[in-house]
Amino acid sequence: MGNAVLHSIHVHPVKAFRSTSFQEAEVEPWGLAGDRRWILIDDGGKVVTQREQPRLALAAAEMLSGGGLRLSAGNREPVTVPVPEPIGTTTVEIFGDKVEAVLADTAAHDWCSAYLGTDVRLAHMDDPAARRPVDPDFALPGETVSFADGYPLLVTTLGSLDALNSLIARGDRAEEGPLPMSRFRPNVVVSGTEAWAEDDWSRIAIGEVTFRVAKMCGRCVVTTTDQDTARRGKEPLRTLARHRRFAGKLVFGQNLVPETRGSLRVGDPVTVLA
């Protein structure tokens, strides 16, 4: 691990929208600053992601000063969304969790609904320190998470992506590869490790910040969605099913929980602590 470094940093301001890459990001207890603090919900309050709406991969959310957003997609006129006042909350459902959130303004709802062709609403997590605990089976007391699938950060490695792409090239859907890392929607990507080295990590440091490795990341149909076209194929799930099945899950990457606050910068050294 002497050559392992932070290769890239990715923030997803709205869950399921495309990511934004940064050279530097602040680590908060519930994830990278600005990551997945916003979410789309349907009329019943249930989360809407690329699982149901792959076209969300083509929508972008630019973070503005003060926490607001500028939403854009294709040739549509962008819309600016201010942080809503936490006057009242609504209950949203995300993978079985019931979480309180604050609805954005009507213009944001209308823009997102028109883009997807179905009624959705945009909601904001106003208090990530208290709104949603990490899965208690893998959490320490008091740990919370934003609207990420379940954990504050996701780390992947270029070494493992290269190994996976080699397996895809030898499979029966070789024409779908090689896949870019964007398929896996990580927060931090590490270079300079052996393939699958992250399987053995329990604690790591990235620069000045330390993290607990909570569990392997189980993968879903979103990984089969081309993040540049929104078209779906069979890979990588087909290859992961053959080579990377653990405890009934198809896995790629590791879920992280921050132990400390601090700044991450591309090029920071990555150290295995346990």
Side-chain angles (χ1 to χ4, degrees):
M1 289 289 293
N3 296 320
V5 298
L6 180 56
H7 174 78
S8 59
I9 300 170
H10 308 275
V11 175
H12 311 77
V14 179
K15 183 178 181 64
F17 280 38
R18 67 168 51 248
S19 69
T20 302
S21 299
F22 291 94
Q23 291 295 303
E24 182 176 348
E26 290 298 310
V27 178
E28 299 173 333
W30 40 83
L32 296 183
D35 188 62
R36 297 174 170 98
R37 289 286 297 277
W38 300 78
I39 192 173
L40 286 181
I41 57 174
D42 63 18
D43 284 343
K46 190 173 181 179
V47 60
V48 176
T49 73
Q50 288 186 34
R51 293 165 176 83
E52 305 82 25
Q53 294 283 353
R55 289 184 67 240
L56 288 173
L58 309 181
E62 176 189 355
M63 294 190 295
L64 304 177
S65 60
L69 301 175
R70 181 177 182 270
L71 307 182
S72 60
N75 294 323
R76 295 184 56 79
E77 185 70 23
V79 64
T80 298
V81 184
V83 175
E85 293 292 333
I87 298 172
T89 63
T90 189
T91 301
V92 306
E93 180 180 348
I94 174 169
F95 309 135
D97 294 340
K98 298 296 180 66
V99 183
E100 293 303 303
V102 184
L103 290 176
D105 59 24
T106 302
H109 305 330
D110 291 346
W111 190 94
C112 295
S113 297
Y115 174 65
L116 292 179
T118 188
D119 288 338
V120 292
R121 293 173 293 167
L122 183 67
H124 179 253
M125 182 179 284
D126 61 320
D127 186 9
R131 291 300 187 198
R132 185 182 177 215
V134 174
D135 184 342
D137 289 340
F138 300 94
L140 299 178
E143 291 180 340
T144 62
V145 62
S146 65
F147 286 128
D149 278 8
Y151 299 88
L153 285 91
L154 172 65
V155 59
T156 58
T157 69
L158 293 182
S160 295
L161 180 64
D162 288 345
L164 177 61
N165 277 325
S166 293
L167 293 171
I168 291 173
R170 297 196 295 269
D172 57 3
R173 305 285 294 195
E175 71 279 2
E176 292 191 24
L179 302 182
M181 191 65 85
S182 60
R183 290 291 188 96
F184 301 95
R185 299 179 62 78
N187 293 113
V188 289
V189 180
V190 174
S191 63
T193 70
E194 298 293 327
W196 318 121
E198 64 273 22
D199 289 355
D200 299 322
W201 298 348
S202 297
R203 290 181 68 237
I204 64 171
I206 305 177
E208 65 186 43
V209 187
T210 62
F211 300 88
R212 181 172 61 83
V213 181
K215 66 183 291 289
M216 292 179 171
C217 183
R219 311 313 308 218
C220 71
V221 69
V222 171
T223 60
T224 69
T225 307
D226 187 319
Q227 297 295 295
D228 294 321
T229 66
R231 291 193 293 268
R232 282 191 172 146
K234 298 295 184 182
E235 295 291 4
L237 294 185
R238 198 175 185 92
T239 296
L240 291 176
R242 292 170 176 155
H243 300 280
R244 296 286 298 169
R245 187 188 294 271
F246 296 90
K249 299 288 187 179
L250 312 184
V251 304
F252 187 89
Q254 291 276 9
N255 292 297
L256 303 180
V257 180
E259 294 181 330
T260 59
R261 290 176 178 257
S263 297
L264 300 183
R265 300 171 184 84
V266 170
D268 277 350
V270 179
T271 307
V272 176
L273 304 176

